[in-house]
Amino acid sequence: MTMDHLIVHEAHNVAMRDTPQHFYDKQPSRGSYIKNKDQYTEWYNQSINNPEQFFGNMAREYLHWDKDFTKTLTGSLEKGDVAWFLNGELNACYNCVDRHAFANPDKIALIYEADDEKDNYKITFNELLTRICKVAGVLQKWGVKKGDTVGIYLPMTPEAIIAMLAVARLGAIHSVIFAGFSAGSLKDRIVDAGCKVVITCDEGKRGGKTVNIKRIVDEGLNGVQSVSHILVFQRTGNPQVPMTAGRDYYWDAECAKQRSYIPCVPINAEDPLFLLYTSGSTGSPKGVVHTAGGYLLGAALTTRFVFDLHPEDVFFTAGDVGWITGHTYALYGPLSLGTSSIIFESTPAYPDYGRYWRIIERYQATHFYVAPTAMRLIKKVGEAEISKYNISSLRVLGSVGEPIAPDLWEWYNEKIGNENCVICDTMWQTESGSHLIAPLAGAFPTKPGSATLPFFGINAAIIDPVNGQELTGNDVEGVLAIKSPWPSMARSVWNDHQRYMETYLKPYPGFYFTGDNAGRDHDGYYWIRGRADDVVNVSGHRLSTSEIEVALSEHPAVSECAAVGIADDLTGQAIIAFLALKNEEMEHPANPEDLQLLRRELIMKVRGSIGPFASPKSVIIVEDLPRTRSGKIMRRVLRKISSNEAEELGDLSTLANPEIVPKLLSAVDAQF
Ligand code: PRX
């Protein structure tokens, strides 16, 4: 058992935290939707024992259906043919915008907090509807119809939300690519998804800097024949940004020609709503497929019950719409419930570390949802700013994307929550669509460091990874899996259902495998330990070490490489890349400056191939990599050595080249 496990097990003994009275006092309706643990348990049991009835009722209560469904659930995890709300038809844009625009036209839908605060503005549901219809009109004119895929490469501006909903309005499928991805990554995703239209902007603004978005699109789409049209929002209006005649069109000019209302195209509940590419432990990124009915219901229900979100609330998700958190909790969750959502284009440090708190004060935000990595940064360098602002409107503080250590949980609770808020540590994934394990604010006590209990319909199981058996009862450790289908689970991998089966459903037949290690403590609360595979979580961004290795090995000097994730104070995990150079390079050892230059080049290679967020923290050049007799690289050895845990290297009897270990140790020492 490692140190990490000992520390975490001690944390199991932390006391439960009751919901602070202030949480209820601050609430418009005085009381949470789910009143207490008994009500949670009753609803949870119903959702597991009779999912058809439970989710059938919920779907009719929270979503608008153009055509009612005839059967709530079919298929199984064994076969990978799960389907919810059969024959039902709906439109996600109608659910998120039209119905609220009709009932409450002047209510604020989006609050745009621009990179430069003087560019901020708000959009009502009615205005949002008009703006979406105009973009949908442009897309329709270009031939986009139900089932087509549209790529979106936009920074976190209202236009990103408008673009997504315009695509959904037509019954088409959006595929958002985070605007920090490189031209090559963008191309791979656009080509795999077969997009015929891409929506982007001229330049982005982030932290006062200008990002050449359109240039990246031009480079990525060079030679991609399938893309016939590109819609370019003029974020900065720089006239120097090149436009290709016959392919590129300005957003404003095209929208001006469109009507302010076009009807929604209802689609089948099981038709895809969007694709979102995510990294696995092997191979190219997977286009995770989410469906219109189940996904939207999961987004609405978790937003309502986990965050206890009321219509008067103001929801602030700090994450980008390029990732699943932005999809579900900046857009589909809050808007499907008709609640105002803050769209934040900038960074927590710009123009100063008071930025988040100014936003909360300015809009009286009730909910703040962020990755622990941002909190670690603020704790380290920006704490003094917090007390300058009145952030007492807050009621729920969410955490997402990586484990939140108990001490950071306490800090979040005290410094931001003033011990008046509920901390919702939400565990979920791109593939789950919405929360898997999370507290229901106000319903039951929390525990610092634990994601607490499964959401309705999440039949969570801990499995022994060695024999594949489910570990029942409490105080168990293993891998986290889900035993029955839930509405917002991904249905497939785009164009590769086999890969979907292999990755999620075949490892433990009858279960969905999350890829995470987890424990269930004596109170039945879940503790997420981190990934069980070669996926690394840097600043809440999920990265595949194999993708980083592919990027590095494309450099002509590299003979072999291995990237591993190690714990990092600021980013949660960080990437350390070990590599051996080709013979000719080794025979003429370069001087230290040349090596330094090479290291920098290699980091730039990863930035260029994937994006800046994937940069290795260190590149360590070694003579050889530790390998087994069959030639497999022993990453465990590299992980331990770079984590300063050389005394815990464990069994090295399978190592074919043990003489490499001291050399690795001194290479790591020299680097850090
Ligand atoms: O390892 C888990 C970690 O993030 C992975 C999912 O990453 P991604 O698909 O990019 O989605 C991130 C946003 C939902 C999971 O397999 N993870 C996510 N939330 C938590 C977490 N680990 C611990 N605690 C969490 N709250």
Side-chain angles (χ1 to χ4, degrees):
M1 181 164 283
T2 65
M3 254 334 256
D4 284 0
H5 279 83
L6 286 176
I7 293 165
V8 177
H9 282 301
E10 272 169 31
H12 281 175
N13 297 323
V14 298
M16 293 224 192
R17 300 300 168 85
D18 285 325
T19 307
Q21 185 54 40
H22 267 78
F23 166 83
Y24 302 111
D25 294 344
K26 279 194 234 168
Q27 224 163 337
S29 61
R30 299 218 163 224
S32 47
Y33 291 126
I34 306 294
K35 299 285 171 236
N36 48 41
K37 177 89 184 282
D38 288 346
Q39 189 186 349
Y40 160 76
T41 308
E42 189 191 324
W43 284 38
Y44 178 75
N45 289 341
Q46 278 175 20
S47 73
I48 299 296
N49 299 333
N50 196 347
E52 293 211 35
Q53 190 186 353
F54 183 87
F55 287 110
N57 289 343
M58 290 284 174
R60 290 189 179 102
E61 184 170 351
Y62 291 105
L63 300 182
H64 169 87
W65 294 87
D66 293 284
K67 192 172 145 221
D68 195 13
F69 43 93
T70 51
K71 171 135 187 69
T72 304
L73 170 64
T74 60
S76 68
L77 293 178
E78 282 90 348
K79 295 210 183 99
D81 57 352
V82 168
W84 287 87
F85 314 119
L86 280 85
N87 300 314
E89 286 183 8
L90 79 171
N91 183 282
C93 182
Y94 185 91
N95 274 278
C96 290
V97 185
D98 297 48
R99 58 177 174 159
H100 310 301
F102 301 150
N104 239 332
D106 298 328
K107 185 169 179 187
I108 299 300
L110 301 179
I111 298 170
Y112 172 39
E113 176 75 18
D115 193 52
D116 185 332
E117 288 161 274
K118 69 177 182 340
D119 297 331
N120 295 349
Y121 65 83
K122 297 178 183 173
I123 307 180
T124 64
F125 274 99
N126 203 29
E127 287 160 356
L128 182 61
L129 177 59
T130 307
R131 292 182 62 181
I132 291 166
C133 284
K134 292 196 167 228
V135 175
V138 176
L139 299 177
Q140 202 171 43
K141 183 176 82 178
W142 290 346
V144 173
K145 55 186 185 321
K146 177 174 175 282
D148 289 341
T149 48
V150 175
I152 298 176
Y153 188 73
L154 276 167
M156 191 64 176
T157 57
E159 285 69 24
I161 307 290
I162 291 167
M164 291 161 81
L165 288 169
V167 173
R169 190 167 190 86
L170 299 177
I173 305 166
H174 58 70
S175 178
V176 178
I177 297 112
F178 173 59
F181 273 114
S182 66
S185 297
L186 171 70
K187 177 180 182 167
D188 292 345
R189 287 158 173 78
I190 295 289
V191 169
D192 186 77
C195 300
K196 48 179 177 185
V197 169
V198 171
I199 308 179
T200 188
C201 67
D202 50 2
E203 296 171 318
K205 285 301 231 177
R206 197 142 191 274
K209 297 197 189 94
T210 302
V211 190
N212 293 319
I213 301 275
K214 178 66 167 37
R215 208 191 62 201
I216 297 171
V217 173
D218 285 342
E219 191 189 326
L221 297 189
N222 189 13
V224 176
Q225 296 301 327
S226 65
V227 176
S228 60
H229 292 83
I230 300 183
L231 187 61
V232 182
F233 167 63
Q234 288 177 281
R235 168 67 185 85
T236 63
N238 179 352
Q240 306 298 324
V241 172
M243 297 283 281
T244 301
R247 184 195 69 171
D248 304 349
Y249 297 86
Y250 286 126
W251 173 295
D252 281 349
E254 289 307 305
C255 287
K257 300 177 199 160
Q258 297 300 320
R259 286 185 290 144
S260 44
Y261 179 80
I262 64 160
C264 291
V265 178
I267 58 173
N268 191 284
E270 278 295 309
D271 282 336
L273 172 61
F274 67 86
L275 311 181
L276 188 56
Y277 283 81
T278 192
S279 296
S281 46
T282 53
S284 52
K286 299 183 279 279
V288 168
V289 180
H290 278 296
T291 57
Y295 168 81
L296 199 60
L297 184 67
L301 294 185
T302 50
T303 308
R304 182 176 167 95
F305 295 116
V306 169
F307 294 125
D308 195 49
L309 191 75
H310 292 250
E312 311 80 351
D313 288 335
V314 175
F315 200 93
F316 177 18
T317 291
D320 193 284
V321 80
W323 308 106
I324 192 69
T325 304
H327 278 63
T328 308
Y329 299 106
L331 195 178
Y332 287 111
L335 292 195
S336 65
L337 298 174
T339 311
S340 313
S341 177
I342 296 174
I343 304 300
F344 181 39
E345 188 182 26
S346 194
T347 80
Y350 182 75
D352 54 65
Y353 282 99
R355 189 68 191 266
Y356 280 156
W357 325 124
R358 228 164 21 252
I359 295 173
I360 291 164
E361 182 182 75
R362 184 179 298 138
Y363 306 116
Q364 294 288 289
T366 51
H367 292 68
F368 178 47
Y369 195 29
V370 76
T373 191
M375 288 304 106
R376 282 192 293 267
L377 178 70
I378 289 183
K379 183 172 177 232
K380 197 164 170 193
V381 293
E383 199 175 309
E385 289 293 319
I386 305 167
S387 58
K388 296 185 187 164
Y389 299 92
N390 180 353
I391 54 173
S392 61
S393 56
L394 287 171
R395 221 169 63 237
V396 175
L397 302 177
S399 174
V400 57
E402 45 174 332
I404 177 165
D407 62 338
L408 188 64
W409 193 106
E410 299 284 9
W411 180 89
Y412 199 21
N413 185 35
E414 255 171 60
K415 302 283 177 195
I416 316 299
N418 200 19
E419 302 194 343
N420 280 332
C421 297
V422 173
I423 311 287
C424 285
D425 173 10
T426 59
M427 151 61 191
W428 59 296
Q429 315 178 294
T430 305
E431 297 86 341
S432 72
S434 59
H435 300 147
L436 289 172
I437 300 185
L440 269 54
F444 52 76
T446 52
K447 274 191 198 189
S450 163
T452 74
L453 299 170
F455 188 69
F456 304 134
I458 305 301
N459 200 351
I462 302 285
I463 293 186
D464 180 334
V466 179
N467 63 18
Q469 298 298 309
E470 183 180 356
L471 299 167
T472 52
N474 287 342
D475 277 322
V476 287
E477 283 289 323
V479 294
L480 180 66
I482 316 291
K483 223 184 330 188
S484 29
W486 66 101
S488 70
M489 70 179 289
R491 300 292 194 272
S492 194
V493 168
W494 187 247
N495 283 335
D496 202 347
H497 195 65
Q498 194 51 32
R499 199 165 166 210
Y500 169 80
M501 297 298 294
E502 303 289 341
T503 314
Y504 308 109
L505 304 183
K506 291 235 171 106
Y508 302 102
F511 293 83
Y512 166 90
F513 176 45
T514 61
D516 281 289
N517 290 316
R520 187 167 53 226
D521 72 12
H522 47 275
D523 293 312
Y525 276 43
Y526 287 79
W527 297 76
I528 312 304
R529 312 275 185 230
R531 299 287 303 191
D533 52 16
D534 287 326
V535 169
V536 179
N537 196 325
V538 180
S539 300
H541 294 148
R542 180 164 152 186
L543 299 171
S544 140
T545 48
S546 70
E547 262 179 89
I548 294 169
E549 287 163 7
V550 168
L552 288 168
S553 54
E554 282 165 4
H555 190 283
V558 173
S559 133
E560 232 187 340
C561 64
V564 295
I566 63 161
D568 185 90
D569 282 351
L570 206 57
T571 55
Q573 282 190 299
I575 300 280
I576 309 290
F578 287 87
L579 47 91
L581 302 180
K582 289 202 174 129
N583 277 344
E584 56 272 31
E585 312 275 338
M586 296 306 280
E587 277 162 18
H588 308 286
N591 63 41
E593 285 90 63
D594 286 348
L595 283 180
Q596 196 49 28
L597 209 66
L598 178 61
R599 279 194 202 97
R600 225 170 291 143
E601 254 179 46
L602 288 160
I603 290 176
M604 289 313 288
K605 179 77 192 51
V606 177
R607 291 172 70 96
S609 292
I610 304 173
F613 57 92
S615 300
K617 186 179 177 191
S618 295
V619 170
I620 300 178
I621 296 172
V622 292
E623 221 172 82
D624 196 5
L625 298 170
R627 58 186 81 252
T628 60
R629 281 169 220 290
S630 57
K632 213 170 156 235
I633 296 171
M634 284 180 79
R635 282 152 215 282
R636 171 174 62 87
V637 170
L638 296 173
R639 238 181 328 254
K640 288 286 174 198
I641 289 179
S642 40
S643 307
N644 234 339
E645 291 172 358
E647 69 286 356
E648 291 176 33
L649 280 177
D651 180 12
L652 293 181
S653 58
T654 53
L655 195 59
N657 52 348
E659 70 286 353
I660 196 72
V661 171
K663 292 181 184 163
L664 290 171
L665 280 167
S666 55
V668 168
D669 272 353
Q671 186 78 25
F672 288 111

